[in-house]
């Protein structure tokens, strides 16, 4: 079995990170994976909660964004397969092995988790629509979960592309992987995570996400990977 590195970017996740890491322990023991947590400039106790439960903790001095955090984790990883997970999955992270399976069985080069539809809609879905149609227009790949941060990816995929910064990282990764002809599958997995609310902070988050996804699509249109 090829070595697996689980990489978890985290920013101010002191309430969820420990439960997420604890839920991964059985998978770690089963396949001998390493867990790398990248604390992306948190101002709470994220690092202190994570350190006893991970193989390696990387602390970034400032909040540099998800793309930069993932890149830091990849540089430190020793695996041939990378499993990207969000820090707020909590107990549902126990299902992460299902996401690894297509890559371990060599039926995919990248597997992307599809969440079950939320019972309560958080926003208007504009970011997801922009990402989905942008990916289809630039790569021809039709996806259901364009923004999912839960992905299992072969090292050879990441060696041929450059990760985008911020919230556009998943969109850029999908466009580049599809454009280079790598096999991508989407897998329905019962992951759960915190939904962005409908308060001012939630709408500000969506606005930033929309802008960064749009910036990534513009960048990939101007300079395609292939």
């Amino acid at each position: 079995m090829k070595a697996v590195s689980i990489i978890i970017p985290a920013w101010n996740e002191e309430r969820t990170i420990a439960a997420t890491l604890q839920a991964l322990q059985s998978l770690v023991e089963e396949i001998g994976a390493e867990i790398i947590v990248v604390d992306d400039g948190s101002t709470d106790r994220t690092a202190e909660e994570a350190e006893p439960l991970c193989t390696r903790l990387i602390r970034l001095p400032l909040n540099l964004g998800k793309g930069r955090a993932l890149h830091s984790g990849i540089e430190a990883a020793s695996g041939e397969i990378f499993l990207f997970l969000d820090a707020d999955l909590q107990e549902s992270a126990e299902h992460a092995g299902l996401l690894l399976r297509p890559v371990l069985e060599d039926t995919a080069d990248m597997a992307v988790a599809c969440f079950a539809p939320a019972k309560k809609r958080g926003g208007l879905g504009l970011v997801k629509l922009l990402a989905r149609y942008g990916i289809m227009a630039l790569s021809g790949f039709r996806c259901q979960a364009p923004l999912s941060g839960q992905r299992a990816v072969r090292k050879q995929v990441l060696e041929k592309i450059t990760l985008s910064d911020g919230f556009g990282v998943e969109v850029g990764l999908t466009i580049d992987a599809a454009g280079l002809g790598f096999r991508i599958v989407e897998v329905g997995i019962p992951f759960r995570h915190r939904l962005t609310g409908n308060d001012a902070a939630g709408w500000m988050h969506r606005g930033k996400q929309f802008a960064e996804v749009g910036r990534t699509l513009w960048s990939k249109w101007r300079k395609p990977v292939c």
Side-chain angles (χ1 to χ4, degrees):
M1 180 182 294
K2 292 185 177 180
V4 174
S5 295
I6 303 172
I7 301 175
I8 302 177
W11 180 63
N12 289 347
E13 292 289 356
E14 65 177 4
R15 296 183 179 182
T16 61
I17 188 68
T20 299
L21 294 173
Q22 287 166 353
L24 290 169
Q25 295 307 310
S26 60
L27 176 63
V28 168
E29 294 173 5
E30 178 184 349
I31 66 175
E34 64 177 355
I35 301 180
I36 299 173
V37 174
V38 183
D39 179 9
D40 189 18
S42 296
T43 57
D44 63 2
R45 289 182 50 81
T46 294
E48 289 78 5
E49 293 290 327
E51 191 164 20
L53 298 167
C54 64
T55 310
R56 180 171 180 180
L57 173 68
I58 299 172
R59 302 187 72 164
L60 302 181
L62 300 171
N63 180 228
L64 300 177
K66 189 174 185 181
R68 298 278 291 277
L70 284 173
H71 183 72
S72 296
I74 291 167
E75 285 190 325
S78 60
E80 292 296 315
I81 295 171
F82 299 136
L83 179 60
F84 301 150
L85 298 175
D86 289 343
D88 63 351
L89 294 177
Q90 301 186 78
E91 291 78 8
S92 72
E94 67 181 359
H95 303 293
L98 299 175
L99 184 56
L100 274 173
R101 187 175 298 167
V103 180
L104 290 174
E105 294 178 351
D106 197 25
T107 59
D109 300 306
M110 180 166 72
V112 182
C114 293
F115 286 59
K119 294 181 180 179
K120 183 178 179 180
R121 191 169 180 175
L124 302 176
L126 296 179
V127 182
K128 187 174 183 179
L129 283 173
L130 174 66
R132 179 181 292 165
Y133 286 108
I135 290 170
M136 184 173 63
L138 294 175
S139 72
F141 180 70
R142 295 176 179 270
C143 57
Q144 295 299 313
L147 302 173
S148 177
Q150 326 317 309
R151 296 173 181 239
V153 191
R154 292 187 186 279
K155 183 178 181 179
Q156 67 189 77
V157 176
L158 299 175
E159 288 175 337
K160 293 182 179 296
I161 66 177
T162 300
L163 291 180
S164 303
D165 290 339
F167 295 115
V169 60
E170 290 91 4
V171 171
L173 176 55
T174 302
I175 291 170
D176 287 348
L180 289 168
F182 287 109
R183 300 166 298 168
I184 305 172
V185 299
E186 294 183 304
V187 185
I189 298 179
F191 283 142
R192 300 182 305 277
H193 64 173
R194 182 179 60 254
L195 294 176
T196 303
N198 281 317
D199 54 6
W203 286 104
M204 286 180 64
H205 172 82
R206 292 188 188 93
K208 182 178 180 181
Q209 191 178 29
F210 189 93
E212 292 188 1
V213 167
R215 190 179 303 120
T216 297
L217 292 173
W218 172 253
S219 173
K220 297 302 178 184
W221 177 74
R222 291 188 63 200
K223 294 182 180 181
V225 74
C226 60

